Amino acid sequence: MAFDINMIRKVYKKYPSAVEAARKATNKPLTLSEKILYTHLWNGNADTAFTRGEDYVDFAPDRVAMQDATAQMALLQFMQAGKDKVAVPSTAHADHLILAKLGADKDLQESLNTNNEVFNFLSSVCNKYGIGFWKPGAGIIHQVVLENYAFPGGMMIGTDSHTVNAGGLGMVAIGVGGADAVDVMAGMPWELKFPKLIGIKLVGKLSGWASAKDVILKVAGILTVKGGTGAIVEYFGEGAKSLSATGKGTICNMGAEIGATTSTFGYDDSIERYLRATDRDDVADAANEIKEHLTGDTEVYENPENYFDQVIEINLSDLTPHLNGPFTPDLATPVAEMKEKAVKNDWPLDVEWALIGSCTNSSYEDLTRAASIVEDAVSKGLKPKATLGINPGSEQVRFTAERDGLMDSFMKFETTKIFTNACGPCIGQWDREGANKQEKNTIVHSFNRNFAKRADGNPNTHAFVGSPEMVAAIAISGRLDFNPITDTLTNQNGEQVSLSEPHGTELPSQGFAVEDNGYQAPAEDGSGIKIVVNPESSRLQLLTPFTPWNEENITGAKLLIKAEGKCTTDHISMAGPWLRYRGHLDNISNNCLIGAVNAFGGNTNAVVSQLDGNTDEVPNVARGYKAAGITSIVVGDHNYGEGSSREHAAMEPRHLGVMAVIVKSFARIHETNLKKQGMLGLTFVNESDYDLIKEDDTFNFTDLNAFSEGKKLTLETVHANGTTDTIMLNHTYNKAQIDWFKAGSALNLIRKQNA
Ligand code: MIC
Ligand code: SF4
């Protein structure tokens, strides 16, 4: 039986009338995305149509998911909201804090030892407030959500950008910062700008080496890291139906890498098969009753140009394997072209590690396809040149894979390492031997992100993203430019052999099995549970509310850093070793913007303080300004804040006295996080004004005291030689969001309302 089946039935019950109302209000056939959005309006059935990309709309998501690295801050905020219990079903998952080093058993034990305080905190907060807790080792949040909670036509939010993975089961699932999760858990509406819609029609059928991963690797190449911003990507067509549910999950998962709000697929046979295989006949039966509402209308899929803002068609039959990278997930290269491109770009060709796992590719099917490559290689007398590392997505996947002999297959390579069912190397939780030497090298992995330093902290590691089967093939060849379709390898007997095409099983023929899934149900009545945070702790710190705005123009501000080029949330608030401070705002602020490239001089973590003219680390300079009572600002390039949902990337600068972040463009989640934390997230009206900003400028906001919806702001930039420039800034704050700024943060407002 599924968790929260009554909630799901309730959602389905309102579907027919809510969809009907939406059809009437919009006066047209509906996409699946619109059906889900309109059935989840906070104010009930629709009576007007919303303008995509313009209207802010209040939604009522069905559930919330959080992972350990973001849940700490989310729950620290929730504790301030003055509620006894969460208002919607919610879960927290311990998956990010587990280091990969020696192998699953030892690593898990080590992580329990080092993170004991944080896991206990999460477990008891969950227990108190009615939140389900998935203990360390239970699996990666998105795989566990797919196996247990995702349901067709549902809407959820999660404090992780890859929450979108649940689109594989036909949800609208959206990654958010912790403050957004607090809104929903506190029983308040959740606001989102009504998204634009991108339709991707899939025709044909995958074959040979091509996999679901290659669909999204190709889409990322087409749309780039910001092509999906503000949009839901809806996949449809015969090709979509031919994909497994977990394959659909992979595609939706990496929609985060193109900046999409989320991605989704209509309910179909493969989704039904997956629901039944994961012990949710009840959900499948309920979904079947309203089947026609859980996919887009026929007219829409027949004439998609009339209903989507953009339409792309991909023929799966023509698709070939890709590798995307290095340093960005949208640099797509068909494997057949890698030889030429790698040499041209001087990418190291020898591969040392090949990693399979992460929330995007750690399903049972993924493991079977990769294992088939390993078995084939062994039978042909091939040994791997690179080390294979595996992180199964969940304990259920791992247990079943072990029962079915897949783990044995991987272990036929002597060097293989099976890591914990957790994020591990995907988020820098990887104690890779020799990484500190910072040598130029290449790794391949089936993860989703490959920003600089992400996996092992080494800025010279060139990471390429591919399908699990391609990663396995590269483990064997040890070469980035290996094309399994055309190239041969020399085996132990000196013979030339080629690898057979991968094959796998969508779902385990004997069904899934698990002994201990790692779930902890919350107490029925948690009122007696006390949450104690040690004031001396270096890991956890209760929050002090940010200071409300004094309603005056900000003047005399200094530049903390002008970031140049890619500035992802990994650059703003690095993960890896810093994950340990995710529950302690002051301590984690010591990583604030240390990865951002300073436009003046091109270094990282070295900026000039205008207080004394000395060059120092970014957090130190910020602390200096704060101590001197001087406001600071940050300037950035395009797609600033790309990547993670971590609100630390907004809270840290806020804590260190930064009041405004002014950039050419923002990634969605980060822009919202800035607003929620009471900061100004602004964009240049003229992008070229970025060039006017000098290191030693002084900044005055001349009309902030008239801050209002739809009205540009003016920044006077006073240069050291006394000349000034006037820079116009756009903002997207609506009235309610301006109130967050006034109050000092969104949470300050909630607290006031609940007082
Ligand atoms: C990531 O993949 O970058 C993370 C780590 O899962 C983040 C969340 C975090 O920073 O804790 C994400 O994607 O939101
Ligand atoms: Fe974990 Fe990586 Fe997925 Fe983020 S992308 S949730 S770090 S596995």
Side-chain angles (χ1 to χ4, degrees):
M1 198 179 100
F3 287 93
D4 309 308
I5 183 68
N6 290 335
M7 175 272 281
I8 297 173
R9 291 206 177 107
K10 230 163 104 192
V11 173
Y12 284 174
K13 204 161 163 224
K14 67 179 182 195
Y15 247 85
S17 70
V19 168
E20 206 30 59
R23 229 180 248 126
K24 235 168 134 190
T26 57
N27 195 24
K28 67 172 196 65
L30 297 172
T31 61
L32 168 65
S33 310
E34 288 166 307
K35 289 183 189 177
I36 302 179
L37 293 168
Y38 278 106
T39 50
H40 286 85
L41 297 177
W42 178 260
N43 289 326
N45 287 358
D47 46 22
T48 57
F50 297 108
T51 311
R52 301 177 198 165
E54 269 182 36
D55 290 342
Y56 280 104
V57 178
D58 281 345
F59 291 100
D62 303 317
R63 57 179 318 122
V64 173
M66 295 162 279
Q67 42 85 346
D68 50 1
T70 49
Q72 297 171 61
M73 208 43 100
L75 294 173
L76 282 164
Q77 294 177 81
F78 181 73
M79 283 162 61
Q80 296 195 336
K83 299 281 173 186
D84 297 334
K85 216 177 163 94
V86 288
V88 302
S90 304
T91 52
H93 304 254
D95 54 358
H96 282 62
L97 295 179
I98 303 164
L99 189 75
K101 184 178 181 185
L102 300 169
D105 293 347
K106 289 195 181 114
D107 292 350
L108 182 58
Q109 191 47 52
E110 179 61 23
S111 134
L112 293 174
N113 298 344
T114 42
N115 299 304
N116 184 26
E117 182 187 2
V118 171
F119 290 148
N120 282 344
F121 169 77
L122 291 176
S123 154
S124 50
V125 176
C126 287
N127 207 8
K128 180 173 176 65
Y129 294 107
I131 301 168
F133 181 56
W134 290 79
K135 294 185 269 190
I140 306 173
I141 172 171
H142 311 301
Q143 186 66 34
V144 174
V145 165
L146 203 72
E147 285 172 8
N148 295 281
Y149 299 114
F151 65 99
M155 177 188 264
M156 72 179 278
I157 59 165
T159 61
D160 189 282
S161 64
H162 293 106
T163 302
V164 294
N165 191 65
L169 285 197
M171 282 196 114
V172 159
I174 302 181
V176 296
D180 287 52
V182 171
D183 290 347
V184 177
M185 292 191 295
M188 302 188 335
W190 174 68
E191 185 191 71
L192 178 76
K193 193 179 266 183
F194 204 85
K196 295 198 167 196
L197 301 173
I198 298 176
I200 301 195
K201 182 172 182 184
L202 301 178
V203 300
K205 200 167 182 316
L206 293 171
S207 65
W209 282 87
S211 77
K213 181 74 154 197
D214 298 302
V215 175
I216 187 64
L217 293 180
K218 186 171 173 79
V219 169
I222 298 171
L223 287 176
T224 80
V225 289
K226 53 186 172 71
T229 308
I232 297 186
V233 181
E234 183 168 326
Y235 292 85
F236 61 95
E238 280 315 304
K241 292 190 183 145
S242 72
L243 297 167
S244 67
T246 49
K248 292 178 169 96
T250 297
I251 294 172
C252 292
N253 180 296
M254 270 196 76
E257 276 51 64
I258 54 167
T261 301
T262 191
S263 311
T264 194
F265 281 85
Y267 180 54
D268 63 12
D269 293 350
S270 75
I271 296 181
E272 179 174 353
R273 282 195 298 277
Y274 186 77
L275 284 170
R276 296 194 186 281
T278 48
D279 203 16
R280 286 176 288 172
D281 284 323
D282 45 2
V283 180
D285 293 342
N288 283 345
E289 282 177 29
I290 56 154
K291 216 170 177 161
E292 76 271 24
H293 300 310
L294 299 177
T295 189
D297 287 342
T298 316
E299 299 90 316
V300 168
Y301 292 159
E302 275 170 1
N303 296 296
E305 313 70 37
N306 298 345
Y307 302 103
F308 290 98
D309 298 291
Q310 184 183 354
V311 179
I312 294 170
E313 182 168 319
I314 292 177
N315 187 343
L316 301 184
S317 308
D318 296 343
L319 200 66
T320 59
H322 282 61
L323 286 171
N324 285 22
F327 306 121
T328 184
D330 59 349
L331 185 52
T333 306
V335 164
E337 293 166 25
M338 188 51 98
K339 281 190 177 53
E340 204 184 319
K341 201 156 158 188
V343 171
K344 208 159 117 200
N345 289 286
D346 200 21
W347 297 333
L349 291 173
D350 288 335
V351 176
E352 298 179 11
W353 273 90
L355 301 153
I356 294 175
S358 109
C359 54
T360 177
N361 271 115
S362 52
S363 66
Y364 184 84
E365 184 183 38
D366 288 331
L367 296 187
T368 57
R369 286 177 69 86
S372 80
I373 302 298
V374 174
E375 283 291 348
D376 182 52
V378 172
S379 74
K380 290 174 177 161
L382 290 164
K383 287 200 160 163
K385 299 253 172 45
T387 311
L388 191 58
I390 316 259
N391 282 86
S394 71
E395 176 57 13
Q396 175 159 281
V397 163
R398 191 208 61 78
F399 190 93
T400 311
E402 176 143 358
R403 180 200 65 193
D404 297 350
L406 301 175
M407 294 304 176
D408 288 341
S409 300
F410 291 125
M411 294 310 284
K412 286 185 181 165
F413 288 164
E414 268 166 38
T415 48
T416 297
K417 280 261 185 301
I418 308 284
F419 296 124
T420 320
N421 314 317
C423 304
C426 179
I427 192 55
Q429 289 287 43
W430 184 24
D431 192 345
R432 180 182 180 192
E433 221 185 296
N436 53 349
K437 289 191 212 136
Q438 306 221 338
E439 282 162 356
K440 187 168 170 183
N441 77 102
T442 290
I443 62 172
V444 291
H445 60 58
S446 73
F447 311 160
N448 36 36
R449 294 198 173 135
N450 53 355
F451 304 140
K453 294 194 196 177
R454 182 170 167 99
D456 62 2
N458 173 0
N460 302 315
T461 292
H462 292 52
F464 292 83
V465 183
S467 67
E469 47 269 45
M470 250 329 281
V471 171
I474 292 183
I476 296 155
S477 67
R479 297 271 302 187
L480 176 66
D481 57 353
F482 176 64
N483 181 354
I485 301 169
T486 53
D487 297 353
T488 56
L489 295 165
T490 315
N491 73 4
Q492 284 157 313
N493 307 326
E495 297 152 354
Q496 291 300 303
V497 292
S498 44
L499 291 175
S500 305
E501 285 175 357
H503 56 87
T505 13
E506 180 186 288
L507 294 162
S509 54
Q510 303 172 53
F512 282 106
V514 66
E515 248 165 30
D516 174 5
N517 66 3
Y519 175 68
Q520 170 194 295
E524 271 304 313
D525 175 7
S527 56
I529 299 169
K530 282 229 149 28
I531 312 293
V532 189
V533 171
N534 177 357
E536 302 300 312
S537 170
S538 66
R539 303 284 303 264
L540 295 166
Q541 183 186 43
L542 293 175
L543 292 170
T544 324
F546 291 129
T547 323
W549 175 48
N550 62 9
E551 312 250 339
E552 283 170 23
N553 283 327
I554 295 172
T555 54
K558 291 290 178 190
L559 179 73
L560 176 58
I561 185 170
K562 175 168 159 180
E564 184 179 66
K566 209 173 183 65
C567 191
T568 72
T569 41
D570 280 356
H571 298 80
I572 306 171
S573 173
M574 213 194 150
W578 289 94
L579 286 176
R580 63 178 324 122
Y581 298 122
R582 282 290 185 87
H584 196 293
L585 182 55
D586 194 50
N587 282 348
I588 198 157
S589 294
N590 289 331
N591 81 357
C592 186
L593 284 154
I594 62 176
V597 176
N598 185 355
F600 305 104
N603 295 320
T604 52
N605 204 17
V607 291
V608 176
S609 165
Q610 300 308 320
L611 292 175
D612 53 17
N614 291 335
T615 301
D616 200 348
E617 298 180 359
V618 182
N620 290 345
V621 172
R623 286 187 195 275
Y625 288 139
K626 187 178 174 184
I630 294 172
T631 301
S632 51
I633 68 163
V634 168
V635 171
D637 223 306
H638 272 300
N639 211 22
Y640 181 91
E642 164 189 353
S644 161
S645 64
R646 60 190 79 143
E647 60 199 328
H648 306 76
M651 293 178 91
E652 292 174 27
R654 175 79 168 102
H655 175 67
L656 296 180
V658 176
M659 277 311 293
V661 178
I662 304 171
V663 299
K664 292 184 189 170
S665 62
F666 280 113
R668 173 189 61 88
I669 307 178
H670 186 64
E671 184 180 14
T672 308
N673 285 346
L674 289 170
K675 292 178 178 177
K676 286 259 166 184
Q677 301 302 335
M679 293 177 81
L680 293 171
L682 309 168
T683 52
F684 292 104
V685 171
N686 300 313
E687 273 175 21
S688 58
D689 285 355
Y690 170 92
D691 301 325
L692 296 176
I693 309 281
K694 302 274 176 297
E695 198 171 20
D696 49 3
D697 285 347
T698 302
F699 304 94
N700 304 314
F701 286 86
T702 54
D703 49 12
L704 186 63
N705 52 4
F707 191 18
S708 51
E709 197 174 346
K711 189 171 170 289
K712 295 182 183 19
L713 289 172
T714 315
L715 181 73
E716 182 191 61
T717 309
V718 185
H719 303 301
N721 63 7
T723 61
T724 60
D725 281 307
T726 301
I727 295 179
M728 295 311 294
L729 303 169
N730 280 326
H731 72 80
T732 60
Y733 289 70
N734 60 21
K735 206 184 146 300
Q737 295 168 342
I738 291 174
D739 287 342
W740 303 342
F741 176 71
K742 287 187 175 159
S745 73
L747 186 62
N748 284 354
L749 261 194
I750 301 184
R751 210 191 354 250
K752 238 200 243 158
Q753 285 157 4
N754 285 331

